[in-house]
Amino acid sequence: MSEYYLYFKFLHYIFFVSWMAFLFYQPRLYVYHAENMDKPDFVKVVEVQEYKMYHYIGWVALIGSFVTGALILIAMPDLLKTGHIHVKILVVVLMAIYHLDLGRYMKQLREKRCSRSGMFFRAYNEVPTICLLIIIWVMIVNPF
């Protein structure tokens, strides 16, 4: 085991928790945005929050998660021989696609082109929860 493995893992957990916090909260902002389009002052505040969350927290946490995850795999290449890591990587790729989709919705909301309701964003907000449950399951139970 590389002497740096535990430090990479420590940083990976911090970045991943931050990324999950972003993925949980950003769609909630879209709920507020979609349900209050008739209140321009409120929408302006929400748009600032959306932008800052997406660019200053979401992207930093995503990049940090990916970089530290790669460093863990470099430090422990035998992890790639396990089935559970492949499931985790697949789910993380799906989460990255979800992240990009949140950016698409943010742009649509800002440009007043989004036809999605607050109810849609409430349901869409469950995607990261399902992803997190799968990741925790494969990393702890190690079923493969």
Side-chain angles (χ1 to χ4, degrees):
M1 180 184 337
S2 167
E3 62 186 276
Y4 299 108
Y5 169 75
L6 293 177
Y7 291 103
F8 297 150
K9 196 171 178 179
F10 168 75
L11 290 172
H12 184 67
Y13 285 1
I14 290 171
F15 282 118
F16 184 72
V17 168
S18 298
W19 190 29
M20 289 307 304
F22 160 77
L23 292 176
F24 288 142
Y25 192 63
Q26 191 76 4
R28 176 53 56 183
L29 290 173
Y30 298 168
V31 169
Y32 302 145
H33 195 145
E35 292 180 349
N36 292 283
M37 291 294 241
D38 59 333
K39 300 173 186 161
D41 290 339
F42 181 82
V43 167
K44 283 182 184 181
V45 171
V46 171
E47 285 176 346
V48 169
Q49 292 173 332
E50 291 168 355
Y51 182 87
K52 288 181 178 182
M53 283 285 296
Y54 190 78
H55 292 286
Y56 303 137
I57 295 174
W59 273 110
V60 170
L62 177 146
I63 292 166
S65 295
F66 274 57
V67 168
T68 55
L71 290 171
I72 288 169
L73 293 175
I74 290 167
M76 297 287 293
D78 285 349
L79 283 173
L80 288 171
K81 296 177 183 174
T82 64
H84 72 280
I85 201 72
H86 295 279
V87 174
K88 180 183 178 185
I89 290 169
L90 172 64
V91 173
V92 167
V93 167
L94 294 173
M95 288 169 48
I97 292 167
Y98 179 83
H99 180 119
L100 294 171
D101 203 37
L102 290 175
R104 182 177 65 89
Y105 281 124
M106 181 177 63
K107 184 177 180 185
Q108 286 179 1
L109 284 162
R110 185 180 60 239
E111 294 172 354
K112 297 178 183 20
R113 296 184 298 110
C114 186
S115 61
R116 301 292 188 172
S117 68
M119 187 61 75
F120 168 81
F121 288 116
R122 281 185 177 84
Y124 199 50
N125 198 22
E126 299 308 319
V127 171
T129 302
I130 294 165
C131 292
L132 180 61
L133 291 172
I134 294 169
I135 288 172
I136 291 171
W137 176 66
V138 297
M139 296 309 292
I140 293 176
V141 177
N142 198 356
F144 307 105

